[in-house]
Amino acid sequence: MSAISYFTWNAGAERATRPCVRDDNTALTYDQFSARVDAFASQLSARGLGKGDVIAVMLPNRVELLTAMMAAWRIGAVATPVNPTFTQPEALYQIRDARARLVVTDDPDPVPGYPVISIDEIDTETTIDGGGGFDDQDPDDLALLIYTSGSTGRPKGVELTHTNLEFMASTMAQHFSLTHDDHCMLILPLFHVNAICVSVLAPLIVGGQVSITGRFSPSRFFDDVERLRPTYFSAVPTIYALLASQSDDVVRDTSSLRFGVCGAAPISKELLDKAESRFGLKIVEGYGLTEGTCASACNPPNGVRKLGTVGPALPGQTIAIADEQGTLLPVGAVGEVLISGPNVMRGYLERPDETARTVVDGWLHTGDIGRLDQDGYLTLVDRIKDMIIRGGENIYPKEIENALATHADILEAAVIGAPDVVYGEVPVAYVVTYPNTKVHEAELLDHLRERITKVKLPVAIHIVDSLPRNPVGKIDKPGLRLALRTPAVEPVR
């Protein structure tokens, strides 16, 4: 049985004194972090927990969250990270659905019906002799239960094994050319697989280091970059939008950064250009699903980057485009994006029918619409469920959003379908402008008329201060649709 290479207790002696993880209060070497993991693993074992048990970790980003997750793996258990901002009903749904036996939390209120270890009860000091007699972990053991955002129904537990995670961490390290000198500044929430794989496991697998920063703000981001000197970070489009919207007199030293990663949601070419030129930062856009253990395509930091695409398939994975019957389509054709490789999830927890509909003959059906070019670079067209059918005509909101993004004053845009008594559905746009700019709906409609056909024109363009987000930073289009369940609007003439 091969050793799992992101387990810090498997790191060689040459890494013992190297920086491993830190947050605002703690900085640990590989040996120090591994000792903490062993101490907490021993504590969990003493509570009767072991192989196959599920441990819920409901903590904000901090070293103790990683300690708890690794300690669960140390005893062969499964970790399910829970969003610490969840309401009690939301948290209890995940904890119960995952069949968790214990909750690690900093919430002063106990979780009804579940044993709890509070953050100040975590044992970090007990000396474990010779690894504490912990059994070796099987790469095919379940490692994580990551819950989907629930935008299409009740959240589902995605089962990811250590094989899934090791493949993804190794792929990320290879694609980004990571070495032990790399240092990731972690700013995304650790209840999401992006942060776990890209920002934690990928640097640890090569002996690099991770700095966990507090709640994101542009000023804090630049302070942390200057102080910590990271070599890369991973973020969502919202964060890049906030950074790009900083006033011109904000001049900070970002020279330590080799690149930034953008994922979780599409980003416009215009915003990428603005963020890159503003701070001299190379940004690579990627694409993936929780069901595919984070990432399946990504533009390379070193190599051909095609802005507007999410790059080629990552090493070891295959991306294909299929029609509604599942027949594979040729280069340039538009259809559903399918993914295969060792990154595809084991399945949805206790949902065999949904698993069978999502993974067919080894292909993960993503629900995304896209096309591949002759070089294998993937362009996302839209989500299948986001498509608007206006009087029998298919309209992809992303096409309208991309056209809006070409206006110099537009920072972000979201387009959804609104009910209409004549056409069934019509497009409605919500836009956020850059600070200190003024733009009117009529001006934006004129801008769109030069770029898209009349049938695609939004019937209304709402200029808003911000767009709603789900817990992982994606624009909450279901929430926008819910708000639009009002009497029909008149179409643009």
Side-chain angles (χ1 to χ4, degrees):
M1 188 183 301
S2 59
I4 296 168
S5 53
Y6 53 76
F7 288 166
T8 56
W9 54 90
N10 287 334
E14 69 279 0
R15 296 186 187 177
T17 59
R18 290 186 61 85
C20 182
V21 298
R22 71 169 60 79
D23 60 18
D24 290 343
N25 304 307
T26 307
L28 302 172
T29 66
Y30 273 79
D31 263 7
Q32 290 168 335
F33 179 66
S34 296
R36 287 198 177 197
V37 169
D38 277 356
F40 190 38
S42 181
Q43 183 181 4
L44 294 173
S45 292
R47 297 283 291 264
L49 294 157
K51 192 175 182 67
D53 289 328
V54 177
I55 297 169
V57 184
M58 189 173 175
L59 293 172
N61 281 13
R62 54 190 298 170
V63 163
E64 288 84 357
L65 191 159
L66 296 182
T67 303
M69 185 172 68
M70 286 276 189
W73 295 344
R74 191 74 166 107
I75 61 173
V78 183
T80 186
V82 183
N83 184 345
T85 68
F86 270 175
T87 63
Q88 190 175 88
E90 289 172 320
L92 281 174
Y93 169 81
Q94 179 174 337
I95 293 165
R96 288 170 179 160
D97 190 77
R99 309 289 190 267
R101 288 194 54 200
L102 179 137
V103 183
V104 183
T105 182
D106 66 346
D107 191 329
D109 296 324
V111 180
Y114 288 89
V116 168
I117 292 181
S118 66
I119 198 164
D120 55 4
E121 294 174 328
I122 294 176
D123 187 346
T124 61
E125 298 179 354
T126 300
T127 301
I128 307 295
D129 182 31
F134 300 117
D135 294 332
D136 289 337
Q137 290 75 27
D138 190 316
D140 291 329
D141 285 346
L142 193 60
L144 285 175
L145 281 173
I146 300 288
Y147 274 71
T148 61
S149 62
S151 59
T152 58
R154 295 290 277 179
K156 300 184 287 290
V158 175
E159 298 177 311
L160 300 178
T161 66
H162 287 295
T163 295
N164 292 143
L165 296 181
E166 181 148 36
F167 172 78
M168 184 55 58
S170 299
T171 295
M172 292 287 97
Q174 176 185 346
H175 189 69
F176 297 143
S177 302
L178 300 182
T179 72
H180 64 267
D181 290 325
D182 275 296
H183 176 185
C184 182
M185 190 169 80
L186 190 157
I187 57 179
L188 295 180
L190 278 164
F191 57 82
H192 189 250
V193 74
N194 183 312
I196 293 172
C197 288
V198 179
S199 299
V200 177
L201 300 186
L204 293 188
I205 210 169
V206 295
Q209 59 179 304
V210 180
S211 288
I212 303 169
T213 63
R215 186 176 178 85
F216 174 83
S217 71
S219 60
R220 163 139 198 179
F221 173 85
F222 293 117
D223 287 344
D224 286 339
V225 169
E226 289 187 340
R227 176 174 58 90
L228 297 169
R229 311 300 294 162
T231 60
Y232 79 101
F233 68 98
S234 181
V236 295
T238 305
I239 288 176
Y240 288 107
L242 289 169
L243 296 177
S245 65
Q246 295 301 291
S247 61
D248 290 340
D249 59 359
V250 175
V251 180
R252 306 297 291 268
D253 182 4
T254 58
S255 60
S256 69
L257 291 168
R258 288 203 293 121
F259 62 94
V261 183
C262 185
I267 186 171
S268 69
K269 290 187 290 185
E270 290 74 21
L271 179 53
L272 272 176
D273 281 336
K274 191 175 182 73
E276 287 195 340
S277 61
R278 178 75 176 76
F279 299 106
L281 177 65
K282 185 184 295 182
I283 301 169
V284 294
E285 187 180 4
Y287 161 76
L289 286 74
T290 302
E291 292 88 340
T293 320
C294 180
S296 292
C298 189
N299 277 284
N302 304 305
V304 176
R305 287 187 302 147
K306 295 186 180 183
L307 298 188
T309 79
V310 293
L314 289 167
Q317 298 186 53
T318 302
I319 295 177
I321 305 298
D323 63 17
E324 294 177 356
Q325 288 72 45
T327 302
L328 299 189
L329 299 174
V331 168
V334 173
E336 184 178 11
V337 179
L338 307 186
I339 295 165
S340 69
N343 57 303
V344 174
M345 67 174 178
R346 177 187 289 181
Y348 293 120
L349 178 67
E350 297 180 354
R351 290 169 170 81
D353 291 344
E354 291 189 65
T355 300
R357 286 194 295 270
T358 305
V359 183
V360 181
D361 296 329
W363 289 102
L364 173 63
H365 287 244
T366 67
D368 288 312
I369 300 169
R371 63 176 176 271
L372 292 167
D373 70 12
Q374 66 275 10
D375 300 317
Y377 282 63
L378 175 65
T379 297
L380 296 176
V381 175
D382 224 319
R383 289 286 294 168
I384 289 175
K385 68 177 184 290
D386 287 343
M387 186 174 68
I388 299 166
I389 304 177
R390 183 188 189 276
E393 183 123 11
N394 293 345
I395 298 172
Y396 295 115
K398 191 168 184 289
E399 183 181 0
I400 307 171
E401 292 162 2
N402 288 343
L404 283 164
T406 62
H407 191 286
D409 293 336
I410 298 302
L411 179 60
E412 289 187 293
V415 174
I416 58 174
D420 182 87
V421 294
V422 176
Y423 296 107
E425 285 184 300
V426 289
V428 172
Y430 293 81
V431 300
V432 179
T433 63
Y434 282 98
N436 304 316
T437 58
K438 288 187 178 180
V439 64
H440 300 287
E441 178 181 358
E443 178 186 341
L444 293 176
L445 283 170
D446 287 341
H447 181 80
L448 289 178
R449 284 189 179 98
E450 298 174 0
R451 289 162 176 81
I452 57 176
T453 59
K454 182 179 178 180
V455 71
K456 299 174 185 176
L457 287 175
V459 301
I461 300 177
H462 302 287
I463 299 170
V464 296
D465 293 332
S466 63
L467 294 169
R469 306 278 170 182
N470 68 16
V472 297
K474 296 181 181 180
I475 294 172
D476 182 14
K477 286 193 173 182
L480 284 174
R481 291 190 196 99
L482 186 63
L484 263 180
R485 289 178 183 171
T486 54
V489 286
E490 288 296 319
V492 173
R493 302 298 181 188

